[in-house]
Amino acid sequence: MSSLPATFSQDSIDFFKQLAANNSKDWFDANRKAYQDHIKAPADTLKSELATSLSKITGHSMTCKLFRINRDLRFSKDKTPYNTHVRMAFWPDSDAFQGRQAQPPSFFLSIEADHIRLGAGCMAFSKPVLGTYLHLLETGSGDEIKKLLGQLTTNGFEQSDPDLAKPPRGFPKDNAFADLARHKGLAVWTTLADVAPALGEKAPVVLTNALAPTLPFWNSLVKLHEKT
């Protein structure tokens, strides 16, 4: 008897499509083995191998999280119970980036039925890091981050939207980095229009290469945390 592949395959993509068309607990329970074989097991393998691959290019030992397939329905009008994607995040495995209040610089990956979303950044700075970030901007030290964001945008990455309509109270409105001050976190994303990079044994290397352009930006956020 041949063993099931430990990587994402076309069967994984087919499962997502079938789940999208039959998003109910009854259907999921009836197909739970297919979920374990074609989604959960490959996700665990990719998570581990990608963490190792990212550790090599960052110089940091990386920890990771695989997000649950169950949707959080508490505040959603959409009551379908399951996500039709796999999402995971990776961040440095050190004390400075642990704890409930930590918002570490991370790499993100979302494998959908017909595309891949990946990126890097901090979705929300912790309060101390936000203070350091705003201080650097106010004292004229935002050139590096602005340059890195500009390079990524030129190369097809999208920047996270600002959280505020205007700079926070007390921040000079005429400051050269006033637009950056409207952000409570910074992240960049890009979409791969083909799921092939996530399939097969080469996926960890291919996905690491796709994330590699974000490394200087990610490193700048690590330095920001180290200054706090």
Side-chain angles (χ1 to χ4, degrees), residues 1-55:
M1 181 182 296
S2 60
S3 60
L4 287 164
T7 58
F8 283 106
S9 65
Q10 186 57 47
D11 287 333
S12 308
I13 303 306
D14 291 342
F15 181 90
F16 282 141
K17 292 178 179 178
Q18 292 167 20
L19 177 58
N22 304 275
N23 201 327
S24 71
K25 185 176 185 303
D26 287 345
W27 185 90
F28 190 86
D29 286 345
N31 291 273
R32 189 172 293 274
K33 186 176 187 306
Y35 163 71
Q36 293 290 339
D37 291 343
H38 300 307
I39 304 297
K40 184 63 167 62
D44 286 339
T45 297
L46 179 60
K47 179 185 71 170
S48 176
E49 294 184 358
L50 192 51
T52 299
S53 186
L54 289 170
S55 294

Side-chain angles (χ1 to χ4, degrees), residues 62-112:
M62 303 293 283
T63 190
C64 48
K65 175 182 179 179
L66 178 64
F67 291 85
R68 298 171 69 241
I69 194 167
N70 300 79
R71 296 182 63 246
D72 185 349
L73 306 179
R74 290 174 298 172
F75 308 108
S76 176
K77 293 181 180 179
D78 178 2
K79 298 302 181 181
T80 51
Y82 303 104
N83 290 310
T84 56
H85 54 251
V86 163
R87 288 184 180 164
M88 51 189 79
F90 306 82
W91 62 92
D93 184 15
S94 64
D95 291 343
F97 300 109
Q98 306 302 320
R100 188 167 185 173
Q101 302 304 317
Q103 296 286 350
S106 303
F107 296 98
F108 311 105
L109 173 66
S110 179
I111 302 172
E112 320 273 342

Side-chain angles (χ1 to χ4, degrees), residues 32-33 92 100 113 123-124 136 139 164 177 190 203 215 225 228:
R32 189 172 293 274
K33 186 176 187 306
R100 188 167 185 173
M123 301 307 294
L136 289 174
T139 55
L164 304 173
F177 306 110
T190 192
L215 184 56
H225 281 69
T228 301

Side-chain angles (χ1 to χ4, degrees), residues 156-167:
F157 284 82
E158 310 161 33
Q159 183 180 326
S160 56
D161 293 330
D163 302 282
L164 304 173
K166 56 185 179 180

Side-chain angles (χ1 to χ4, degrees), residues 50-225:
L50 192 51
T52 299
S53 186
L54 289 170
S55 294
K56 292 178 181 178
I57 70 167
T58 63
H60 292 265
S61 176
M62 303 293 283
T63 190
C64 48
K65 175 182 179 179
L66 178 64
F67 291 85
R68 298 171 69 241
I69 194 167
N70 300 79
R71 296 182 63 246
D72 185 349
L73 306 179
R74 290 174 298 172
F75 308 108
S76 176
K77 293 181 180 179
D78 178 2
K79 298 302 181 181
T80 51
Y82 303 104
N83 290 310
T84 56
H85 54 251
V86 163
R87 288 184 180 164
M88 51 189 79
F90 306 82
W91 62 92
D93 184 15
S94 64
D95 291 343
F97 300 109
Q98 306 302 320
R100 188 167 185 173
Q101 302 304 317
Q103 296 286 350
S106 303
F107 296 98
F108 311 105
L109 173 66
S110 179
I111 302 172
E112 320 273 342
D114 59 357
H115 67 277
I116 299 168
R117 287 277 285 171
L118 51 82
C122 291
M123 301 307 294
F125 294 132
S126 67
K127 189 173 182 179
V129 173
L130 179 59
T132 300
Y133 169 71
L134 291 173
H135 176 73
L136 289 174
L137 295 181
E138 188 172 352
T139 55
S141 301
D143 297 277
E144 180 185 6
I145 287 178
K146 187 172 183 177
K147 179 181 177 181
L148 291 171
L149 289 171
Q151 290 172 342
L152 287 165
T153 300
T154 300
N155 290 326
F157 284 82
E158 310 161 33
Q159 183 180 326
S160 56
D161 293 330
D163 302 282
L164 304 173
K166 56 185 179 180
R169 182 179 300 178
F171 192 92
K173 294 181 180 179
D174 59 350
N175 185 281
F177 306 110
D179 281 346
L180 285 176
R182 295 165 56 205
H183 292 263
K184 293 184 177 181
L186 284 175
V188 293
W189 297 87
T190 192
T191 299
L192 308 182
D194 187 350
V195 295
L199 308 184
E201 295 179 356
K202 295 182 179 179
V205 172
V206 175
L207 293 171
T208 298
N209 289 340
L211 284 165
T214 69
L215 184 56
F217 169 66
W218 183 85
N219 278 327
S220 73
L221 297 181
V222 171
K223 292 177 184 176
L224 180 66
H225 281 69

